[in-house]
């Protein structure tokens, strides 16, 4: 039985990851402060990842899956807490935000990484985390996903559209609705990680994502259809900041995921994945950190 360490383990990607590997028969340890309910079947190492001392020194992990590193210091602190030779593989969940928006698209793994004017500090921190890890562990694996979605999503993205549908509201579409969005289901992310842990591929930096991007129109249409509610669109063309009333930045980008296909030839269909999201969200609406999009729409557009 392989032993893995998942940083976090209580919210969205980290929790889904912990539960996924438990179901696959791994011995799963999670590292968090113990302030939330833990996933079934995991072993809790209760601590702040930046105040670990020698807590991890007695352990050996076949893989460290670092979901919650947001800057270089996060990586340094975790590495210094692990015993010398205390792990075989290190997998960092980075982000597509490491690519400057000025890079030619689709973004490829060979392109330079650096500051992105859309993602700003978040992307800058991920760049720093990647560079820190590669300097310390040249053989580490780095995954760069686009928008992640699926059950346990705690960011108010698909949940916002589902709320509008279930309330029978018109939906306010930025511009003409043709801006593309690229998604990746959290279970597919876990499948890629499992392939890495089991096969140790030669490629150590991977863009991951659904090869097919969809535009905003299609995305909203899918969500309303899954909720079983007719959709009436209103196109917004005279408001500068779409983040006031919509859950995605005014930023279209596409990742080249050719290398991913060698590990994962097929991915979950977006409609199927959104159906899973809707089913989970109906039962866990209070687990999503909601933003005041609907309030803004009521105050400014209606």
């Amino acid at each position: 039985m392989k032993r893995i360490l998942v940083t976090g383990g209580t919210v969205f990607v980290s929790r889904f990851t912990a539960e996924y590997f438990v179901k696959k028969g791994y011995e799963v340890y999670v590292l968090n402060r113990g302030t939330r309910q833990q996933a079934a079947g995991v072993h809790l190492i209760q601590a702040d990842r930046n105040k670990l001392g020698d807590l991890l020194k007695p352990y050996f992990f076949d893989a460290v899956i670092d979901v919650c590193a947001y800057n270089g210091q996060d990586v340094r602190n975790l590495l210094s807490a692990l015993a010398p030779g205390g792990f075989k593989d290190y997998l960092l969940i980075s982000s597509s935000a490491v690519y400057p928006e000025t890079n030619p698209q689709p973004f490829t793994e060979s392109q330079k990484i650096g500051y992105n004017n859309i993602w700003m500090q978040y992307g800058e921190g991920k760049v720093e985390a990647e560079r820190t890890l590669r300097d310390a562990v040249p053989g580490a694996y780095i995954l760069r996903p686009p928008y992640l979605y699926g059950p346990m999503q705690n960011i108010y993205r698909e949940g916002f559209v589902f709320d509008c549908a279930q309330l029978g509201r018109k939906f306010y579409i930025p511009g003409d609705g043709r801006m593309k969005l690229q998604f990746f289901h959290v279970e597919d992310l876990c499948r890629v990680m499992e392939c890495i842990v089991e096969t140790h591929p030669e490629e150590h930096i991977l863009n991951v994502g659904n090869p097919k991007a969809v535009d905003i129109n299609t995305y909203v249409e899918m969500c309303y259809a899954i909720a079983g509610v007719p959709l009436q669109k209103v196109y917004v063309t005279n408001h500068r900041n779409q983040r006031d009333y919509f859950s995605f930045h005014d930023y279209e980008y596409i990742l080249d995921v050719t290398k991913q296909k060698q590990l994962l030839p097929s991915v979950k269909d977006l409609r199927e994945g959104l159906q899973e999201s809707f089913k989970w969200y109906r039962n866990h609406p209070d687990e999503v950190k909601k933003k005041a999009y609907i309030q803004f729409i009521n105050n400014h557009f209606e």
Side-chain angles (χ1 to χ4, degrees):
M1 180 185 296
K2 289 186 177 179
R3 177 185 291 176
I4 67 170
L5 174 67
V6 179
T7 59
T10 60
V11 176
F12 190 30
V13 177
S14 63
R15 187 181 186 93
F16 196 102
T17 299
E19 293 189 2
Y20 176 91
F21 280 96
V22 167
K23 290 175 184 176
K24 290 289 185 174
Y26 291 74
E27 184 180 6
V28 178
Y29 287 74
V30 295
L31 172 61
N32 62 67
R33 289 172 290 185
T35 58
R36 297 173 182 263
Q37 183 179 359
Q38 303 299 316
V42 302
H43 304 280
L44 172 63
I45 300 175
Q46 187 171 350
D48 184 323
R49 66 172 290 155
N50 294 317
K51 298 177 182 178
L52 289 169
D54 293 330
L55 194 59
L56 299 181
K57 291 293 193 288
Y59 296 94
F60 173 82
F61 299 103
D62 292 282
V64 173
I65 298 179
D66 197 351
V67 182
C68 306
Y70 295 104
N71 53 56
Q73 192 60 50
D74 286 344
V75 173
R76 283 190 289 271
N77 289 343
L78 185 58
L79 286 172
S80 66
L82 291 159
F87 62 91
K88 185 173 184 180
D89 289 313
Y90 194 121
L91 286 69
L92 173 67
I93 307 304
S94 183
S95 170
S96 56
V98 300
Y99 294 111
E101 77 282 2
T102 53
N103 280 8
Q105 295 194 35
F107 297 147
T108 65
E109 294 91 342
S110 61
Q111 290 180 354
K112 68 176 183 179
I113 61 174
Y115 189 80
N116 181 299
N117 281 298
I118 305 300
W119 293 107
M120 297 187 289
Q121 290 184 340
Y122 172 76
E124 190 173 34
K126 287 292 190 179
V127 168
E128 184 183 288
E130 283 196 17
R131 288 173 174 165
T132 300
L133 179 59
R134 292 188 70 189
D135 287 345
V137 186
Y141 289 93
I142 294 170
L143 304 182
R144 297 171 178 165
Y147 292 113
L148 291 165
Y149 80 107
M152 304 184 193
Q153 167 70 281
N154 64 318
I155 299 175
Y156 199 37
R157 286 179 182 155
E158 54 261 49
F160 164 58
V161 188
F162 292 142
D163 275 350
C164 289
Q166 292 181 101
L167 292 169
R169 296 180 59 91
K170 296 176 287 187
F171 198 87
Y172 288 78
I173 302 279
D176 59 8
R178 295 181 182 177
M179 189 186 87
K180 293 286 199 308
L181 300 168
Q182 188 175 23
F183 293 98
F184 198 44
H185 195 281
V186 64
E187 184 177 358
D188 287 331
L189 177 66
C190 290
R191 291 170 61 206
V192 170
M193 291 191 288
E194 185 182 11
C195 287
I196 290 172
V197 173
E198 294 297 331
T199 66
H200 304 94
E202 292 184 6
E203 297 291 346
H204 284 254
I205 300 177
L206 290 170
N207 290 340
V208 292
N210 193 316
K212 297 180 180 178
V214 297
D215 64 19
I216 294 172
N217 283 313
T218 302
Y219 172 69
V220 174
E221 288 163 5
M222 280 188 185
C223 290
Y224 269 70
I226 288 165
V229 177
L231 170 61
Q232 181 182 352
K233 301 177 188 175
V234 179
Y235 290 100
V236 179
T237 58
N238 57 355
H239 186 80
R240 179 176 295 180
N241 185 8
Q242 73 179 41
R243 285 280 286 167
D244 289 336
Y245 63 94
F246 187 61
S247 48
F248 296 89
H249 287 284
D250 184 10
Y251 173 46
E252 178 179 290
Y253 69 92
I254 304 296
L255 296 172
D256 183 319
V257 295
T258 302
K259 294 180 179 180
Q260 170 197 294
K261 291 181 183 179
Q262 298 174 14
L263 296 178
L264 201 67
S266 63
V267 299
K268 192 180 294 286
D269 176 76
L270 180 59
R271 183 179 295 273
E272 179 186 351
L274 287 172
Q275 287 171 337
E276 295 175 4
S277 294
F278 181 61
K279 181 178 179 180
W280 179 86
Y281 183 62
R282 282 190 303 176
N283 294 320
H284 305 86
D286 295 333
E287 294 183 29
V288 177
K289 187 176 182 180
K290 298 187 179 182
K291 294 190 174 183
Y293 301 130
I294 292 176
Q295 181 180 343
F296 183 90
I297 290 167
N298 289 342
N299 291 340
H300 292 83
F301 299 155
E302 296 187 344

